């Protein structure tokens, strides 16, 4: 039989009432907020919504950088005539004319953007001996091709099916199903230009007689693929949302976008108040993510915690930016996509002798920002842990692209015959506006009045990189 008794009544303390109540005036970073017995007064109602819209705009920027970046990439390539049936490439290698997030000067790149809504199922014949991958328009990983792909570096025919495709799938293809109609294809052919020129992209409907492949060499083209840092950032995101299946984005970010007026199938028409708030949000968020990138407070970013400024762009070694407990590392995701483009497990994972590893810094050994008007040195101890080669590239912190000087390749790498080592086997690199006499091959020109940052790349990294028994020096003021 059910038993019912009267509950005890211990009373509510003044401390408890205070903890669940609100004073009549709050001093906040958004200004004063006034209430009548917990009810917001008219000015506070206005300030609350302005504050909420600003916060949501900042969150959208930080969380949706991957998508805006892909929209900007597609737009920039399209301006050169590079589309779903045209491959852009860099011959002999990428220089500093294109604005592309942290491109390197050592790899022969190939790029294209699929349009499965227009072309239908599409075939990519990937080149052998290559490192290629595909990301959808939200920069989710889709597939690897080449050495890290299912063709194992022998070259293969990959068939990309549009979202929702339920037709017959022919045999003889490596089938891929992206979540978006548009996807970014990045090709890196270890055989250089010849390998890229062996790539083919065409609709499945033309497989019996593929059209002649079109190529555009953009190595020296001055064009932009970097997303906006003002109100137009949100227009870039709206372009993506209106053109791609809603299911391609998780409900949480879709909810953030809806809160600021970006909804599939509806025009994005913010009024003057909202435009101003979102413009401010983009600029604040750009400042925040630059802080996260170059002065991270989370120790997991630092490759040598507590004693070095060298940072790891994949701090958890997860291309999805997941912690060991399965939590999304929001700062890490924002940082990576603000500074770089494209993710793949082969890039993020720690694999000895395979792929590449990266470390970056914008600080000298004293913790000061790197200054283009000053001279610096960087010592790479002997036994640099690479099976293939190493490279050090210099970038503009504003554009996060290769630093523009009168030399097209702001880098030093072990592929160059001009690089000289010290008698003890160490390699000393020099940075500054003028070259050190006799060390021109080890020098990268910098620009007075501009900052810079650098990325150390190790291609085919060896065990001493992962166990940290080898480590680069800090960048020392000369």
């Amino acid at each position: 039989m059910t038993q019912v008794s009267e509950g005890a009544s211990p009373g509510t303390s003044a401390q408890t009432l205070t903890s669940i109540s609100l004073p009549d005036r709050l001093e906040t970073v958004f200004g004063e907020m006034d209430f009548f017995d917990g009810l917001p007064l008219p000015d506070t109602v206005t300030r609350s919504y302005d504050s909420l819209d600003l916060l949501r705009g900042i969150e959208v920027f930080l969380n949706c950088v991957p998508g805006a970046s892909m929209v900007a990439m597609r737009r920039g390539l399209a301006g050169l005539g590079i589309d779903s049936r045209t491959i852009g490439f860099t011959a002999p290698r990428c220089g500093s004319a294109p604005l592309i997030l942290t491109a390197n000067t050592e790899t022969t790149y190939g790029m294209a953007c699929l349009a499965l809504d227009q072309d239908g199922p599409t075939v990519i014949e990937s080149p052998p001996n290559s490192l290629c991958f595909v990301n959808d328009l939200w920069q989710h990983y889709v597939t690897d091709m080449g050495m890290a792909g299912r063709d194992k570096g022998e070259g293969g025919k990959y068939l990309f099916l549009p979202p929702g495709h339920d037709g017959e799938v022919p045999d003889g293809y490596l089938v891929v199903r992206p979540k978006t109609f548009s996807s970014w294809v990045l090709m890196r052919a270890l055989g250089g230009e010849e390998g890229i020129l062996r790539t083919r992209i065409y609709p499945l409907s033309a497989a019996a007689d593929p059209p002649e492949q079109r190529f555009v060499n953009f190595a020296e083209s001055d064009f932009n693929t970097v997303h906006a840092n003002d109100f137009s950032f949100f227009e870039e995101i709206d372009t993506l949302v209106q053109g791609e299946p809603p299911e391609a984005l998780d409900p949480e970010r879709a909810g953030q976008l809806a809160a600021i007026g970006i909804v599939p199938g509806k025009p994005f028409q913010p009024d003057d108040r909202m435009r101003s708030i979102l413009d401010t949000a983009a600029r604040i968020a750009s400042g925040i993510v630059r802080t996260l990138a170059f002065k991270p407070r989370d120790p997991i970013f630092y490759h040598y915690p507590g004693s070095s400024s060298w940072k790891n762009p994949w701090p958890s070694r997860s291309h999805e930016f997941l912690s060991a407990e399965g939590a999304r590392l929001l700062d890490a995701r924002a940082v990576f996509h603000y500074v770089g483009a494209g993710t793949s497990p082969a890039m993020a994972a720690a694999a000895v002798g395979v792929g590449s590893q990266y470390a970056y810094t914008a600080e000298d050994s004293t913790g000061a920002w790197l200054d283009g008007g000053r001279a610096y040195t960087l010592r790479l101890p002997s036994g640099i842990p690479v099976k293939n080669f190493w490279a050090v590239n210099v970038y503009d912190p504003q554009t996060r692209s290769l630093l523009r000087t009168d030399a097209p390749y702001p880098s030093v790498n072990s592929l160059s015959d001009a690089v000289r080592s010290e008698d003890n086997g160490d390699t000393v690199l020099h940075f500054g506006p003028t070259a050190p006499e006799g060390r021109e091959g080890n020098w990268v020109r910098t620009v007075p009045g501009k900052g810079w940052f650098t990325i150390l790349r190790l291609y085919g990294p060896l065990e001493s990189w992962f166990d940290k028994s080898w480590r680069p020096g800090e960048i020392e003021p000369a």
Side-chain angles (χ1 to χ4, degrees), residues 89-92 106-109 127 129 188-198:
F89 72 109
T90 57
E106 294 72 51
T107 303
T108 300
Y109 286 116
N129 193 29
R188 295 169 293 176
L190 302 187
E193 178 183 352
E194 180 182 350
I196 292 294
L197 295 178
R198 294 178 63 179

Side-chain angles (χ1 to χ4, degrees), residues 4 19 75 127 134 142 170 188 218-219 225 264 276 292 372 408 429 447 468:
V4 178
S19 73
R75 181 180 61 226
V134 180
V142 175
R188 295 169 293 176
F218 64 80
T225 70
S276 176
L292 295 174
L429 308 186
V447 180
K468 302 181 183 180

Side-chain angles (χ1 to χ4, degrees), residues 105-127:
T105 62
E106 294 72 51
T107 303
T108 300
Y109 286 116
M111 297 184 191
C113 289
L114 302 182
L116 302 180
D117 51 343
Q118 300 172 28
D119 299 337
T122 297
V123 178
I124 298 180
E125 296 183 12
S126 65

Side-chain angles (χ1 to χ4, degrees), residues 9 31 125 132 158 177 182 198 207 240 286 305 318 320 330 348 350 363 365 369 387 423 457:
S9 181
E125 296 183 12
C132 311
Y158 288 78
R177 295 179 180 271
S182 184
R198 294 178 63 179
L240 194 168
S286 172
S318 164
E320 295 181 301
L330 299 178
E363 301 169 77
S365 60
W369 296 127
K387 184 173 71 174
D423 292 341
R457 287 178 164 88

Side-chain angles (χ1 to χ4, degrees), residues 18 98 138 142 235 238 285 297 303 342 356 365 395 404 447 452 461:
T18 298
W138 284 107
V142 175
E235 294 176 314
D238 184 61
R297 63 182 178 182
H303 196 66
S356 52
S365 60
Y395 298 94
R404 288 176 167 178
V447 180
W452 57 277

